[in-house]
Amino acid sequence: MNVINNIRQIRSWHTINRGTRCVLVPTMGALHEGHAALIRAARELAGPNGNVAVSIFVNPLQFGPNEDFTKYPRTLVEDLAVCRDNGADMIFAPKAEDLYPADRSIQLFETSLSKTLCGASRPGHFDGVCTVVAKLFNLVQCDDAVFGKKDYQQLAIIRQLVRDLDFNIVLHGIDTVREPDGLAMSSRNRYLTPEERAQAPAIRAALVAARDAWKNGGERDPAALLQLIKQHLQQHAPLGRIDYVDAVDANTLQPVSSSTELVVIAAAVFFGGARLIDNIELK
Ligand code: PAF
């Protein structure tokens, strides 16, 4: 497994591997079983002769001024072991000063899909995500890229990025990996106290209860479904503070209208300083 941490090396890696299918898994490190599943999916896609590349970079551009950029876990040694154990061929772990020279003056802005859900709570977050992902796509020159569906809005925005900027890359969304009690795996789960950890699975349980009310109970009113989720959280996760819970169209990410085919309910809940997200499709 090659570990590359500068732009000169990634360019020569790409030259040496030209013609070999490359599948990229972009990450910010602090890898857990959810990332391991992405790497395994990439391995499957790349086949025995292809390359699986994993980028590890805590992107300062996607953190707001009062967010957890400085305390975001950095665990490179453990991350490399996860990458190796799950079949990665190359790790790209650049330094911030390499990706973002002090005199840089160009970045990307997303103007529609990022205005709801997490984007509404974290202004500029998805502009930072788009900028770094476009840079990673250019540097790694992958044919495919793999992202988790837990970050539903991120995946939708990156699909738009690929389309709008004509990247010749196929995107693959991979199902959320969960703890046995349903909590979506996240690098931020390690911030939780034992009490918060005990209550955090209520996010998933509330979303499932809403999906069941929609599927089996025939409830079609988005406001009623959202109310059910809020009540469930108040009852089962009193330590949680809801950032948002919204029902949106799966493609536009706008609040649902009657013409919507596929509805997604997405939620973000703070437990102390940890902001946890999850979502469920109504189908
Ligand atoms: O999902 C993440 O880990 C990050 O947002 C990403 C896509 C690696 C960009 O920094």
Side-chain angles (χ1 to χ4, degrees):
M1 190 174 78
N2 277 303
V3 181
I4 291 178
N5 45 33
N6 66 56
I7 289 181
R8 186 182 49 76
Q9 283 176 329
I10 188 84
R11 291 206 199 287
S12 56
W13 182 85
H14 171 241
T15 307
I16 294 162
N17 288 280
R18 201 184 297 278
T20 302
R21 182 173 180 189
C22 173
V23 184
L24 173 64
V25 185
T27 81
M28 296 204 302
L31 303 184
H32 49 67
E33 185 48 37
H35 295 108
L38 300 183
I39 299 170
R40 288 195 296 273
R43 181 73 271 157
E44 191 81 358
L45 286 162
N49 301 321
N51 280 320
V52 172
V54 179
S55 63
I56 298 179
F57 179 65
V58 185
N59 174 34
L61 234 56
Q62 70 188 73
F63 289 80
N66 299 317
E67 293 185 349
D68 56 344
F69 173 68
T70 45
K71 80 172 225 223
Y72 197 85
R74 279 129 170 117
T75 56
L76 188 61
V77 173
E78 293 87 339
D79 291 349
L80 294 181
V82 174
C83 292
R84 188 176 295 110
D85 292 349
N86 289 281
D89 299 294
M90 188 275 277
I91 312 306
F92 180 46
K95 294 184 197 62
E97 55 270 32
D98 283 343
L99 280 200
Y100 298 126
D103 60 350
R104 74 190 172 85
S105 59
I106 294 181
Q107 79 160 88
L108 297 177
F109 293 97
E110 200 290 327
T111 58
S112 173
L113 295 171
S114 61
K115 300 303 164 197
T116 57
L117 307 177
C118 288
S121 311
R122 304 182 69 189
H125 167 70
F126 287 113
D127 299 332
V129 170
C130 285
T131 302
V132 80
V133 170
K135 286 168 77 72
L136 293 169
F137 284 172
N138 281 330
L139 287 165
V140 177
Q141 295 277 306
C142 56
D143 301 286
D144 303 72
V146 173
F147 292 88
K149 284 193 189 167
K150 178 171 75 73
D151 298 286
Y152 202 93
Q153 186 173 24
Q154 171 169 280
L155 180 57
I157 289 173
I158 292 168
R159 281 196 200 292
Q160 188 84 0
L161 170 79
V162 163
R163 199 208 65 186
D164 286 0
L165 296 191
D166 308 303
F167 282 106
N168 189 14
I169 292 173
V170 181
L171 295 183
H172 305 266
I174 304 298
D175 286 340
T176 303
V177 179
R178 299 182 179 282
E179 302 287 356
D181 59 12
L183 178 64
M185 291 208 181
S186 164
S187 306
R188 291 184 167 104
N189 289 351
R190 66 187 78 190
Y191 299 153
L192 299 171
T193 64
E195 295 74 23
E196 291 163 348
R197 174 64 188 80
Q199 294 185 15
I203 305 173
R204 168 70 176 169
L207 293 172
V208 169
R211 200 252 330 261
D212 289 349
W214 178 85
K215 201 171 173 172
N216 308 324
E219 179 58 79
R220 291 292 180 270
D221 177 10
L225 294 173
L226 299 181
Q227 190 52 29
L228 185 157
I229 293 170
K230 286 176 189 163
Q231 276 168 356
H232 186 106
L233 286 169
Q234 273 155 13
Q235 201 178 338
H236 298 280
L239 293 174
R241 180 171 60 79
I242 297 174
D243 180 21
Y244 70 77
V245 44
D246 279 323
V248 298
D249 178 285
N251 294 311
T252 64
L253 304 185
Q254 296 304 309
V256 272
S257 69
S258 51
S259 60
T260 297
E261 274 178 27
L262 179 60
V263 174
V264 180
I265 302 184
V269 180
F270 281 101
F271 286 88
R275 186 175 171 283
L276 306 184
I277 60 171
D278 205 345
N279 64 75
I280 200 161
E281 290 178 334
L282 299 187
K283 62 181 185 190

